[in-house]
Amino acid sequence: MKEDFFKYQAQTSLYPLEVEISHAKGSYIYSTDGKKHLDFVAGVSACTLGHQHPRVVNAIKDQLDKYLHVMVYGEYVQKPAVDFCKLLAQHLPASLNKTYLVNSGTEAIEGALKLAKRVTGRTHIISCVNAYHGNTQGSMSILGNEERKRAFRPLLPNVDFVTFNNEEELQQITTKTAAIVLETIQGSAGFVTPENDYLLKVRKRCDEVGALLILDEIQPGFGRTGKLFGFENYNVFPDILVIGKGMGGGMPVGAFTANEKMMDLLAHDPKCGHITTFGGHPIIAAASLATLQELLETDLMEQTLIKEQLFRSLLKHPLITEIHGKGLMLAPMTPSAEITNQVILKCKDKGLVLFWLMFEERAIRITPPLTISEEEIKEGCAILIEALNEVQKELC
Ligand SMILES: Cc1ncc(COP(=O)(O)O)c(C=O)c1O
């Protein structure tokens, strides 16, 4: 199978992890060589309820028996999509009441950027240094790393970058700015949390000049920071909310939410301001609804903060200089990219799944399913400490 993987399936890098998957359940992934892998990554923050959560699987099976794709997005009235959008609106600030369902995070960002241009009649977009918002050309235009995008230029014009948490640079948001796009907690930059009311200051500046605030909640969203959305921790809310990943409980998804008046602009002058064949797909909407219901009806979100404290208490080691992030979006930092790399690869061999963060190479990504148990956290942290000890010995 591996040979065919390299021969027929396009690769994203020269060194993929190459674990050959048999099945997955709860917090574990099983490979075809009979090995069990404790999952501290959750499909890169996507598998909110772990693997094969019965509520998600049953919702998918129920929908499978009724209908699959029947029509492009937005024409037919389909219960899973309607119920999801309604439940979401009931748990968001009143101004975020209409949701457009798409297929991925990057498509949701594209939709949000187009909506911001349509609402404001402006084209200037501001993003952040080391921001990651996806890989299509609009999203790549607001990627905060020139090295990663140089080969794909020309991209969108009229995009500027500010430094996350730097309040002076907010003066770059002017009456010409359509929107500033921010990750509520910067992901690829190293799980950088907003400090000193930064988001409130961004909100204030946007209001002063009539620019929109777009918050990308694709990573913190859906319970990972102890609240349904990360912005709830910072007393601020966006004009456009972008979501994806964990929303689908392991299914491919994205969405953007705004107020009705704004969102309706995509439907006229010109009509079809955003269209997508598979957006709101009934199976994916059913999985998203089941995931949201489970989060709302259990204490999983509250538990996230208790589990964070457990991680922080167990991950004490001379090679861990600090731990960035919030809730179950944590990034222990080591002194160097090389150490981080060795630790992640050692843990892979020992049966613990960890991952890298794109622009902060000293960070170890820990984003387990929210359903992970205390015992599993202890088991995984013991493996991580063992790997750190081995690397420390090798350094001496
Ligand atoms: C913050 C953020 N925005 C956008 C995206 C893009 O989402 P997708 O890969 O579903 O297109 C990602 C994916 O990692 C992300 O982390």
Side-chain angles (χ1 to χ4, degrees):
M1 196 155 78
K2 254 182 214 173
E3 226 170 80
D4 286 352
F5 169 72
F6 282 108
K7 192 163 176 200
Y8 297 110
Q9 195 175 330
Q11 304 297 313
T12 55
S13 80
L14 299 178
Y15 308 104
L17 286 170
E18 289 182 54
V19 180
E20 205 173 289
I21 301 306
S22 157
H23 60 285
K25 184 113 191 122
S27 302
Y28 291 92
I29 299 171
Y30 298 83
S31 47
T32 49
D33 56 7
K35 265 182 84 175
K36 193 175 168 187
H37 310 257
L38 176 55
D39 188 0
F40 268 16
V41 176
V44 187
S45 307
C47 309
T48 312
L49 303 178
H51 302 284
Q52 299 290 101
H53 190 281
R55 191 158 184 174
V56 177
V57 170
N58 288 335
I60 291 171
K61 284 183 177 163
D62 285 351
Q63 185 55 41
L64 267 179
D65 290 336
K66 292 184 187 130
Y67 58 92
L68 300 181
H69 177 71
V70 286
M71 179 47 90
V72 290
Y73 177 79
E75 296 290 339
Y76 287 180
V77 183
Q78 301 181 48
K79 190 169 169 51
V82 173
D83 286 354
F84 175 78
C85 293
K86 184 175 173 186
L87 187 61
L88 183 64
Q90 286 166 348
H91 292 273
L92 281 172
S95 59
L96 294 170
N97 52 19
K98 212 159 195 186
T99 296
Y100 197 121
L101 299 168
V102 294
N103 306 285
S104 63
T106 197
E107 188 191 352
I109 288 285
E110 298 289 342
L113 291 177
K114 287 197 288 179
L115 182 58
K117 286 182 172 176
R118 190 72 177 77
V119 169
T120 60
R122 307 173 185 175
T123 57
H124 180 224
I125 304 285
I126 293 190
S127 178
C128 266
V129 176
N130 284 339
Y132 180 77
H133 297 285
N135 246 270
T136 49
Q137 298 209 39
S139 304
M140 196 174 250
S141 304
I142 56 168
L143 182 107
N145 180 295
E146 185 55 30
E147 197 188 314
R148 292 283 181 118
K149 61 183 180 181
R150 189 175 294 120
F152 304 101
R153 286 194 178 283
L155 295 166
L156 279 183
N158 216 2
V159 177
D160 285 312
F161 291 86
V162 294
T163 311
F164 195 76
N165 275 335
N166 181 320
E167 87 185 69
E168 274 137 46
E169 292 180 19
L170 294 178
Q171 292 310 310
Q172 289 192 47
I173 310 173
T174 69
T175 50
K176 293 200 163 57
T177 306
I180 176 164
V181 189
L182 294 177
E183 296 162 85
T184 308
I185 295 176
Q186 277 205 303
S188 300
F191 290 177
V192 182
T193 49
E195 282 163 18
N196 301 324
D197 290 332
Y198 177 66
L199 294 178
L200 274 175
K201 289 166 188 161
V202 178
R203 173 79 269 171
K204 186 166 169 275
R205 180 66 187 157
C206 285
D207 292 342
E208 277 164 13
V209 296
L212 302 187
L213 172 58
I214 300 176
L215 284 183
D216 179 340
E217 284 270 352
I218 286 170
Q219 295 226 33
F222 290 87
R224 200 157 276 288
T225 67
K227 305 267 188 201
L228 193 52
F229 296 105
F231 67 76
E232 295 171 63
N233 296 298
Y234 304 105
N235 301 317
V236 70
F237 53 84
D239 300 294
I240 306 176
L241 169 69
V242 181
I243 49 182
K245 280 196 193 271
M247 163 183 170
M251 297 295 271
V253 77
F256 55 106
T257 301
N259 76 46
E260 185 173 15
K261 213 166 141 215
M262 281 192 202
M263 200 59 105
D264 287 350
L265 290 171
L266 289 178
H268 62 87
D269 305 312
K271 70 177 182 180
C272 301
H274 190 76
I275 43 173
T276 167
T277 299
F278 287 120
H281 189 283
I283 300 283
I284 290 163
S288 303
L289 179 64
T291 304
L292 181 55
Q293 285 168 333
E294 184 70 9
L295 287 174
L296 294 172
E297 291 167 21
T298 62
D299 66 349
L300 278 172
M301 289 195 273
E302 286 158 55
Q303 287 288 325
T304 295
L305 298 182
I306 297 166
K307 290 172 185 173
E308 171 187 357
Q309 290 318 315
L310 183 58
F311 269 111
R312 287 187 182 275
S313 67
L314 294 169
L315 292 179
K316 292 200 159 74
H317 190 277
L319 288 184
I320 296 180
T321 52
E322 57 182 319
I323 300 180
H324 290 179
K326 184 165 177 60
L328 289 180
M329 187 175 172
L330 295 173
M333 310 290 290
T334 78
S336 73
E338 182 48 33
I339 292 174
T340 290
N341 205 34
Q342 281 184 40
V343 169
I344 292 174
L345 293 176
K346 271 186 193 290
C347 285
K348 180 195 164 209
D349 294 341
K350 293 172 187 289
L352 175 67
V353 184
L354 296 168
F355 212 58
W356 297 265
L357 293 180
M358 212 180 291
F359 306 135
E360 176 44 276
E361 294 179 336
R362 293 167 304 162
I364 300 171
R365 169 190 271 273
I366 296 183
T367 52
L370 305 194
T371 46
I372 196 163
S373 69
E374 287 193 3
E375 287 66 39
E376 289 162 347
I377 293 173
K378 286 179 189 160
E379 179 191 331
C381 287
I383 297 174
L384 181 47
I385 294 290
E386 190 182 298
L388 285 159
N389 283 337
E390 286 177 17
V391 172
Q392 193 181 24
K393 236 189 208 162
E394 285 160 20
L395 286 172
C396 294

